[in-house]
Amino acid sequence: MAASVTLAVSLVAAVNLAIPTLAAGPLHPSPSQLVWIVDAYVIVFACLLIPAGAAGDRYGRKGVLLTGLGVFALGSLAAALAPTTGVLIAARALSGAGAALVMPASLSLTVGVHPPEERGKAIATWTAATGIAGVLGNLGGGLVMQYLPWQALFLIPVPIAGLLALLTARLAPRLPRHHADLDLPGAALLIAGSVALLFGVIEGPSHGWLSAPVLGAFAVAAALLAGFVAHQFRTAGPLLDPRLFARPALRAGTLGVAVLFFGLFALFFVNARYLQDVMGLSPLLTGLAILPLTIPMIVLSRLSARFDPRVAVPSGLALVVAGLVTLSFAGAGTPYLVYAVGPTLMGAGMGLSLPPLSHAAVAALPPERAGLGSGLTSAARELGSAVGVAVMGTALATHGMSAGYLVIAAVVLAGALLTLRWLRAPAARAQASYGSSPR
């Protein structure tokens, strides 16, 4: 189960290592198409996470996981064989749908096969796999792009997914099914609204911000997302009940996770191009060059329960903003050790603030709805990632890397201030303190 979720999540990070090669390759993608190659996977992944979890409850986790691995492999194979950029983007979206089926089903099976006294350790192992996946995605992507054509980045996951499907079929039990509402209309409205919003952000520089396609996309996004909220209030089994967000801790945790990954994936999107095209590093060294971010993030995440969240969260968010501002000063003559200060600050900030923010969102809900809290933070993470890539790609095409980092830093700062305001609300403080209850 840990290997399955590692495979699904690692491809989110790995594809960024291929961006410089794809940009110079025979498909000739435009700057906006490069963003879509990354975001098509992430946005479908994010929007289908919650209905995918419900599908596992309703139709069986094992069957949904096997289906997810099959869809993921099919999308990866189609991406490797893509003759045009449009086909590559569509294949990435298909892979994202498979990844969405894999993630909640693998967690449910992990929980289901362990007795209660071992579940905490099992969940911690699965959760650690999602973090390690980012490191493996960068290192593995760099290794593949160093020695193989870009198609191999999508082809190699195919046999791995096949092997994991065989192991799942042999080893995983069939757990009892439970009634769950899928809310497919809600999922369709959320995906369509998110895609329309990203279209406006990504295509603004090429079409013009006041052009009919861009303004039309923003209008369609507003209508669809408003329709999604209205549908959630009306339906008996909503994908995400808006009334839950009356809880300030849930709002704070969800927004905080989203803005952290907004900043992180903005860095990932531009990092590979800067290190390869400007600094002249090889793809393999580019993958290794992200270690100053990942090491403090992993270490501080493991120690996070020892820190007071009232100190850790604001300190972590401030470090992420400081790291983004530091990166805005990087240029062609910047030594790598100086450049690495920015990712190091961001990694430390993520490690300090991400665990207590995730805990705040889960603890804000009753124990029987903890799965929804986990799914909500996962969806917020992927949506934040998709929007971060879109905004950085737009700023990069319009004003350059330095301005892009400052725009990202300003958005993260605004989100951080709102997050801290909600966390300080009396109701949020009264709900739970990180580290004081079993996790």
Side-chain angles (χ1 to χ4, degrees):
M1 297 302 104
S4 294
V5 76
T6 298
L7 177 64
V9 176
S10 63
L11 205 58
V12 178
V15 72
N16 291 287
L17 276 296
I19 292 299
T21 303
L22 284 166
L27 295 182
H28 302 295
S30 66
S32 62
Q33 287 176 323
L34 287 172
V35 179
W36 281 116
I37 290 170
V38 178
D39 266 358
Y41 183 94
V42 181
I43 196 66
V44 175
F45 190 2
C47 293
L48 289 182
L49 272 173
I50 294 176
D57 291 340
R58 185 168 182 171
Y59 299 114
R61 285 89 167 192
K62 182 174 181 176
V64 167
L65 177 56
L66 289 171
T67 301
L69 288 169
V71 172
F72 177 87
L74 180 62
S76 297
L77 180 61
L81 301 176
T84 65
T85 304
V87 174
L88 175 57
I89 292 170
R92 291 278 294 157
L94 182 63
S95 296
L101 293 171
V102 166
M103 195 168 190
S106 63
L107 178 58
S108 298
L109 285 167
T110 299
V111 172
V113 299
H114 288 86
E117 63 272 14
E118 296 181 4
R119 285 176 184 168
K121 185 177 180 180
I123 292 171
T125 301
W126 183 92
T127 303
T130 66
I132 293 169
V135 181
L136 293 178
N138 278 285
L139 296 179
L143 188 64
V144 169
M145 297 310 302
Q146 178 73 39
Y147 299 108
L148 298 171
W150 66 264
Q151 289 89 343
L153 190 67
F154 304 111
L155 193 59
I156 289 174
V158 175
I160 298 175
L163 175 60
L164 290 172
L166 290 174
L167 290 171
T168 297
R170 181 176 178 81
L171 300 175
R174 293 194 178 275
L175 301 178
R177 302 180 185 185
H178 305 281
H179 174 74
D181 295 304
L182 296 182
D183 190 17
L184 294 180
L189 285 168
L190 181 59
I191 292 175
S194 300
V195 169
L197 176 63
L198 290 181
F199 180 90
V201 174
I202 294 170
E203 301 294 339
S206 58
H207 287 85
W209 291 104
L210 298 179
S211 64
V214 172
L215 292 177
F218 286 135
V220 169
L224 289 172
L225 294 176
F228 168 75
V229 173
H231 172 74
Q232 297 305 286
F233 277 116
R234 290 196 308 267
T235 186
L239 178 68
L240 181 61
D241 190 343
R243 287 173 285 259
L244 292 173
F245 287 95
R247 305 165 185 256
L250 184 64
R251 296 199 304 269
T254 304
L255 178 62
V257 169
V259 297
L260 285 173
F261 279 87
F262 174 90
L264 181 65
F265 272 78
L267 165 65
F268 282 166
F269 181 72
V270 75
N271 179 70
R273 299 184 72 179
Y274 172 77
L275 293 178
Q276 292 182 62
D277 295 345
V278 178
M279 283 196 171
L281 298 185
S282 66
L284 179 57
L285 287 177
T286 298
L288 291 169
I290 204 64
L291 288 177
L293 182 145
T294 56
I295 291 174
M297 182 163 58
I298 292 172
V299 171
L300 289 174
S301 292
R302 292 179 63 86
L303 299 174
S304 60
R306 302 181 184 181
F307 305 130
D308 186 338
R310 292 171 296 181
V311 176
V313 172
S315 299
L317 291 169
L319 284 171
V320 171
V321 174
L324 291 165
V325 173
T326 301
L327 286 166
S328 71
F329 293 100
T334 303
Y336 171 72
L337 291 178
V338 176
Y339 173 82
V341 171
T344 302
L345 291 172
M346 290 185 65
M350 295 281 295
L352 282 172
S353 56
L354 185 59
L357 285 169
S358 300
H359 179 266
V362 175
L365 297 173
E368 65 272 14
R369 307 202 73 180
L372 173 61
S374 178
L376 183 57
T377 56
S378 296
R381 179 178 64 192
E382 302 303 332
L383 282 170
S385 302
V387 178
V389 169
V391 172
M392 177 54 95
T394 297
L396 191 65
T398 308
H399 300 294
M401 187 180 76
S402 178
Y405 274 125
L406 291 175
V407 169
I408 298 295
V411 174
V412 173
L413 177 60
L417 293 174
L418 190 54
T419 296
L420 294 175
R421 180 180 178 182
W422 285 334
L423 276 179
R424 292 185 180 124
R429 291 198 302 269
Q431 281 167 348
S433 60
Y434 181 61
S436 64
S437 59
R439 299 193 310 282

